[in-house]
Every structure is written in structure tokens, then in C-alpha cells.
Amino acid sequence: MYVIRLGDGTLRVPRSLTTDDGRLIGNAYVEVTPGEPGYEGWLAESITEQEDAERRRRWREGDDALEQAFLAFKAEQDR
């Protein structure tokens, strides 16, 4: 998950919620607006929504080859 910078300057910062013993309950984004504590630090590592979409597109394209390799491996194991 990345820090996403929206067009109005708001940042969507990933957060995880865990139990007291460390088990993951869920992941989400919280919005941080300019002027809020921590904003400048998060801004330095943020990417735009378009950059995030491009990364996701490249991952999906790369997944096709990985899926084919897995299916070939699985078919070999089923013999």
C-alpha cells in the first residue's frame, strides 16, 4: 500500500488495525490534509492516483505470465 496524493493535496495514508496480540484485523486508508501533523513527511513519499493506477496495471500484466507458469507447474504435479 502506498501513500496516495489526491488532486486537492489530500493524502490517503495506509493504516493497519491489529489485535493486542498482533493479528491483523484489516487495512484501510486515512485521509491527511495539508497542515495536519505528519503531512509533510507523508507528502515526500506519496504517489499520484495516476501513478498508483499505472503500477497496478503493470502488476496485472505481469500476473498473466506468473499465472501461466503456475498452471503449467500445477498440471505437471497432477500427472
Side-chain angles (χ1 to χ4, degrees):
M1 295 175 71
Y2 297 95
V3 176
I4 308 297
R5 184 175 61 255
L6 304 180
D8 67 356
T10 299
L11 303 177
R12 287 193 179 146
V13 179
R15 297 279 194 226
S16 295
L17 182 61
T18 58
T19 61
D20 291 337
D21 63 358
R23 289 180 293 150
L24 180 66
I25 294 174
N27 292 314
Y29 283 96
V30 295
E31 293 191 349
V32 179
T33 56
E36 287 189 56
Y39 180 86
E40 293 300 322
W42 290 115
L43 180 62
E45 64 180 79
S46 67
I47 61 173
T48 65
E49 289 178 287
Q50 292 79 13
E51 291 169 323
D52 184 48
E54 177 62 20
R55 287 179 182 198
R56 290 176 188 272
R57 183 189 63 76
R58 285 193 315 253
W59 289 334
R60 282 191 303 272
E61 288 175 357
D63 285 350
D64 291 340
L66 181 60
E67 181 180 15
Q68 292 305 314
F70 172 74
L71 292 174
F73 169 78
K74 185 177 177 210
E76 193 64 33
Q77 298 301 310
D78 290 342
R79 290 185 194 175

